[in-house]
Amino acid sequence: MDPQELDRTAARAGIKLKYTDAWGQEKTLGAETKQQLLAAMAGLAKDKDRNGPLPPVWVLRGTDSPRLTLTKAVNGHWTLIEEAGRRHQGQVKGSALTLPSGLPDGYHQLVLIQEGQQWECQLIRAPGRCYEPPEVAAGGKLWGCCIQLYTLRSERNWGIGDFGDLALLIEGTGKHQGAFVGLNPIHALYPALPQWASPYSPSSRHWLNVIYIDVGAVDDFVQSQQAQRWWSMPETKSRLAELRQSALVDYPGVMAFKLTALNHAWNQFRQRTDDCSRVAAFRAFVQAGGEKLRLQALFDALHEYLNDRQEETLERWQQWPSAYQDPDGEAVNDFCRRYPERIAFYQWLQWLASRQFDACFRLSRRLDMPIGIYRDLAVGVGEGGVETWSDRELYCLTASVGAPPDRLGPQGQNWGLPPQDPNVLIKRAYGPFIDMLRANMRHCGALRIDHVMSLLRLWWIPGHRDAGQGAYVEYPLQDLLGVLALESQRQRCMVIGEDLGTVPPEITGQLQEAGIYSYKVLFFERDKDGGFHTPDSYLLQAMATLTTHDLATLRGFWLSEDLKLGQRLGLYPSEEIFPSLLNDRRQDIQALLDQLIRSRCLDADAGTRADELDWSPELNLALHRYIALSRSTLLGLQPEDWLEMSQPVNVPGTTDEYPNWRRKLSRKIEEIFADEQVAKLLTAVNHCRQQAAANARKR
């Protein structure tokens, strides 16, 4: 392919031929990168049929005109079938087609016919903005707690936070006038490989992580004599105590323990008769889940089967015997015939998880929490999970997603997540995106989209090349925003976009116009001179937070524990970096202290020099008051900061060096909400949120 044709083909595929890096320099892609990315797209960009007058999908947003421009002239007639079944017809002559006005929001089917030829298009009519709860639309200032579910301790869990603990956290937060409980991604991971615990590299984003099932609340576990005999054994009690008391989540231990119990419960469930309401509910769940649920359960059962028969752990499906790598192959079909009960078991686990999670959301509604549960949608899936195993066309397995080099990461980042081909998304009328949104907007009042820039573009890294040798691939932003708004309104689920880092200016305003809430972290809300923003200068349409799972806790930040940890872990490439980081941190802490005093969140009598001010509950309270006074509509707080913990959840850039995604909270839920200091802090947060709302009404 000659250079000009290569450029045209790459551009049609969505590959950006040039981009501006973090230092303001324009970069031009090399031929090799273009070729490798086109190859990763399985040739679709080259072979795409563009001869018809209609695209596979057409999205109209808000007040968009119903006049459509065709890709070529047509002399024939059209039929439009609304989602509800109403039909419209008309003639078309030329390259423009005017549809009826007043077309309702929804998914409609457009058909063009000319001399025996027929073309079809999914026509999506979408609202202009995403859903906002009445309390938000009325100008309320809401707060909630954001938790990594697995970190929760309680008197009753089995060594990991579960949906029973989530119910306790919802009750405690609701009683303190909190509007929501925010969760880490709770997507399906890998039951046969529980040590793969990162919630941001899931097997599937359509189903739930079954390790969060509250086994003690499963009726068939309680009613099973076999299960109760196991439960009463001294070795069972001893193992449970070990799992509960551990400061870190023992994922393999917890999963093995829970699966033992759930297998007993499954044997009890199988004895239920066909006229049992629970059996009917399970069958309805399986039918509604359809092929996606069957594939999820099949993958988990097959992964378990293969690992039980191998000396070495088979982590990714790419390591399985070749006969099992094809989900439609004879070996997999034979497995389905031989082990239908094991597949049904994993479907049953998803049913249990879904029922328990739904019960948590219904509890939040009974407590009149305006949002209730706020979920987190990971930016992608792991390369070795069920989604990539079952859909090779959608996922580009010879590329991965990451970030280009910037000042914080001079080498760039490779997240090891295979990207979805935007051309396939268009070809399928955004069906995969729609299904994913529906799966994640279910049972919650808000959805946070991790790395919301993925609606506009993703940094693709071809093959095994360095992260800096990638390119931006564009996604159909306007169409995706329209679909997001439509599903948000239908599911009554507001949307928050994680927009940290370098944000292209062309997307910022469009996200705000679409009703997507921004994400503002205290540490990054700085003026040009290095000072911290005043509370009333925070963005209104946003969720403000003190910190996140990838950053230091408040106490850790103030005491520079995160920097000291980085030094101990050997994360700094030279000896000079650590002293420089400490010096910068001292300046940051002083700037933050200055702002606390100016904002009247801390009395100057406490001290005006950060290097002479020890960490204390009073300082912690001042920081919470400061962020609670922010102008932002939403506020998310971490229980780690209520408890003044120092160690972070996750240290980016590490794997085995630090126990990422394993550190638990320092205290049990029952103790947290009984603590006078926590109660005092949450009372102050409520007062400041009310004050922020009053200040907004005065403007």
Side-chain angles (χ1 to χ4, degrees):
M1 188 182 304
D2 67 65
Q4 291 184 338
E5 179 60 25
L6 178 61
D7 282 354
R8 286 192 293 269
T9 304
R12 286 199 302 270
I15 300 170
K16 291 280 288 183
L17 304 181
K18 297 180 179 180
Y19 72 96
T20 302
D21 68 13
W23 293 271
Q25 301 296 313
E26 185 174 80
K27 298 289 185 179
T28 301
L29 297 192
E32 184 179 3
T33 299
K34 300 169 194 172
Q35 292 166 347
Q36 289 181 328
L37 290 181
L38 285 172
M41 295 177 178
L44 182 66
K46 293 181 289 185
D47 301 334
K48 188 176 179 182
D49 178 12
R50 296 180 177 274
N51 295 324
L54 287 174
V57 60
W58 213 319
V59 181
L60 298 174
R61 291 181 58 206
T63 58
D64 287 353
S65 168
R67 182 178 175 85
L68 308 181
T69 301
L70 307 177
T71 57
K72 70 176 187 178
V74 173
N75 187 1
H77 65 275
W78 57 268
T79 299
L80 177 64
I81 306 171
E82 292 184 14
E83 187 175 12
R86 184 182 179 189
R87 300 173 70 93
H88 306 269
Q89 293 182 318
Q91 299 294 316
V92 57
K93 186 174 182 180
S95 57
L97 189 160
T98 301
L99 297 175
S101 59
L103 190 66
D105 292 338
Y107 301 95
H108 316 301
Q109 195 68 23
L110 177 63
V111 180
L112 283 183
I113 298 177
Q114 173 183 265
E115 297 178 353
Q117 285 187 297
Q118 179 172 305
W119 302 277
E120 296 185 4
C121 168
Q122 174 91 78
L123 182 69
I124 303 175
R125 183 78 191 190
R129 288 179 62 86
C130 292
Y131 173 78
E132 293 173 293
E135 294 83 353
V136 168
K141 302 296 182 186
L142 310 181
W143 75 271
C145 75
C146 298
I147 189 73
Q148 305 285 309
L149 183 55
Y150 56 84
T151 66
L152 292 177
R153 293 175 181 264
S154 71
E155 298 285 352
R156 37 141 317 278
N157 76 30
W158 289 19
I160 189 172
D162 59 27
F163 292 132
D165 291 332
L166 176 58
L168 293 176
L169 188 63
I170 288 171
E171 287 182 345
T173 303
K175 288 177 180 178
H176 283 83
Q177 302 179 45
F180 61 86
V181 168
L183 299 175
N184 58 289
I186 55 174
H187 309 311
L189 294 182
Y190 311 84
L193 199 68
Q195 62 268 33
W196 276 27
S198 171
Y200 290 95
S201 297
S203 177
S204 170
R205 292 180 290 181
H206 290 85
W207 304 102
L208 297 173
N209 187 352
V210 298
I211 204 170
Y212 292 132
I213 293 172
D214 177 2
V215 183
V218 175
D219 288 342
D220 288 287
F221 174 74
V222 176
Q223 296 168 10
S224 166
Q225 294 181 3
Q226 182 186 43
Q228 293 308 304
R229 282 195 298 271
W230 170 82
W231 183 245
S232 63
M233 294 170 62
E235 52 266 41
T236 300
K237 299 297 185 183
S238 175
R239 183 59 176 145
L240 177 61
E242 291 176 358
L243 293 171
R244 280 180 178 165
Q245 292 167 10
S246 172
L248 302 175
V249 177
D250 175 3
Y251 284 100
V254 169
M255 183 61 80
F257 196 71
K258 286 196 172 188
L259 285 179
T260 297
L262 289 166
N263 275 301
H264 290 319
W266 170 241
N267 290 334
Q268 176 71 20
F269 181 83
R270 290 170 62 192
Q271 297 176 26
R272 293 180 180 270
T273 58
D274 289 347
D275 60 352
C276 172
S277 60
R278 290 185 178 274
V279 172
F282 171 54
R283 288 178 174 171
F285 177 81
V286 171
Q287 183 176 6
E291 182 68 0
K292 282 188 172 61
L293 177 59
R294 186 191 75 85
L295 285 167
Q296 176 68 54
L298 168 57
F299 180 90
D300 288 341
L302 184 55
H303 200 187
E304 173 189 66
Y305 169 84
L306 293 174
N307 271 307
D308 284 347
R309 286 158 177 77
Q310 298 287 331
E311 293 184 4
E312 296 182 358
T313 300
L314 301 178
E315 297 177 338
R316 304 171 177 84
W317 61 260
Q318 292 90 339
Q319 297 171 320
W320 295 357
S322 58
Y324 292 104
Q325 293 185 17
D326 180 3
D328 298 317
E330 181 54 35
V332 176
N333 291 331
D334 180 63
F335 177 86
C336 294
R337 289 188 293 267
R338 291 166 58 197
Y339 301 102
E341 288 297 327
R342 201 57 188 166
I343 297 170
F345 169 72
Y346 278 104
Q347 290 175 313
W348 183 70
L349 295 188
Q350 287 295 335
W351 177 64
L352 292 178
S354 179
R355 283 170 63 90
Q356 291 189 355
F357 188 48
D358 179 49
C360 290
F361 185 52
R362 286 187 282 109
L363 170 63
S364 73
R365 288 304 192 219
R366 290 197 301 274
L367 294 172
D368 294 324
M369 298 173 75
I371 295 174
I373 291 177
Y374 143 38
R375 291 188 64 179
D376 197 351
L377 176 66
V379 71
V381 297
E383 61 181 344
V386 62
E387 285 200 36
T388 60
W389 180 65
S390 60
D391 199 341
R392 315 289 169 81
E393 182 188 42
L394 178 61
Y395 288 96
C396 302
L397 298 180
T398 59
S400 60
V401 173
D406 59 24
R407 289 176 173 81
L408 295 178
Q411 304 303 317
Q413 301 176 48
N414 188 333
W415 302 332
L417 308 173
Q420 291 186 348
D421 188 334
N423 302 285
V424 177
L425 283 174
I426 294 170
K427 174 186 174 183
R428 298 188 189 176
Y430 305 121
F433 184 64
I434 295 166
D435 290 343
M436 182 180 65
L437 290 177
R438 289 175 178 172
N440 285 274
M441 288 180 169
R442 191 177 300 129
H443 314 318
C444 69
L447 181 67
R448 173 188 181 271
I449 300 179
D450 186 44
H451 194 64
V452 74
M453 297 304 103
S454 62
L455 298 176
L456 171 69
R457 68 185 189 186
L458 278 172
W459 182 257
W460 285 34
I461 306 161
H464 300 287
R465 304 183 75 184
D466 294 335
Q469 296 177 299
Y472 281 114
V473 175
E474 293 183 311
Y475 287 74
L477 173 65
Q478 293 300 323
D479 286 5
L480 296 179
L481 287 178
V483 170
L484 183 58
L486 177 57
E487 289 302 321
S488 169
Q489 292 286 353
R490 288 191 166 187
Q491 307 299 329
R492 298 177 65 81
C493 178
M494 69 181 302
V495 179
I496 301 158
E498 187 271 294
D499 53 355
L500 303 178
T502 303
V503 182
E506 62 265 33
I507 193 177
T508 304
Q510 295 180 61
L511 293 175
Q512 289 282 304
E513 290 175 4
I516 297 174
Y517 278 61
S518 187
Y519 195 71
K520 300 300 180 184
V521 180
L522 165 69
F523 299 153
F524 303 143
E525 292 301 293
R526 312 289 291 272
D527 301 324
K528 291 182 179 180
D529 62 2
F532 283 80
H533 290 339
T534 60
D536 60 3
S537 66
Y538 271 64
L539 184 66
L540 175 64
Q541 189 176 302
M543 175 172 174
T545 69
L546 284 164
T547 182
T548 78
H549 59 267
D550 280 335
L551 299 172
T553 63
L554 280 183
R555 182 189 180 105
F557 178 83
W558 194 271
L559 300 178
S560 300
E561 293 291 344
D562 57 321
L563 303 181
K564 298 171 188 175
L565 177 61
Q567 175 74 348
R568 291 197 300 272
L569 297 177
L571 298 184
Y572 309 132
S574 68
E575 294 182 0
E576 296 79 16
I577 290 180
F578 180 56
S580 175
L581 291 174
L582 283 177
N583 183 63
D584 290 345
R585 179 60 58 83
R586 282 192 288 268
Q587 295 180 40
D588 292 341
I589 293 172
Q590 184 62 57
L592 183 54
L593 176 59
D594 293 343
Q595 185 55 258
L596 291 177
I597 295 172
R598 280 197 298 270
S599 300
R600 298 183 179 180
C601 295
L602 186 68
D603 196 307
D605 291 343
T608 58
R609 287 180 56 86
D611 56 359
E612 297 176 354
L613 185 62
D614 291 334
W615 178 263
S616 66
E618 290 72 26
L619 181 56
N620 190 36
L621 177 61
L623 285 162
H624 278 81
R625 293 184 65 237
Y626 166 76
I627 199 69
L629 286 169
S630 76
R631 182 167 168 262
S632 295
T633 299
L634 303 180
L635 170 64
L637 304 174
Q638 293 189 149
E640 283 90 342
D641 295 322
W642 306 348
L643 301 175
E644 302 183 48
M645 294 177 64
S646 297
Q647 295 302 304
V649 165
N650 176 51
V651 178
T654 64
T655 51
D656 298 331
E657 301 94 333
Y658 184 80
N660 294 321
W661 318 115
R662 296 178 59 200
R663 192 267 288 138
K664 298 180 185 178
L665 293 181
S666 58
R667 302 181 69 184
K668 298 173 183 176
I669 302 175
E670 299 89 346
E671 297 171 341
I672 293 174
F673 288 112
D675 186 281
E676 292 184 2
Q677 187 65 37
V678 172
K680 178 181 178 182
L681 185 150
L682 297 183
T683 298
V685 166
N686 272 313
H687 176 75
C688 291
R689 289 270 81 192
Q690 295 168 7
Q691 184 178 338
N695 292 341
R697 287 192 292 270
K698 293 177 183 177
R699 293 190 182 95

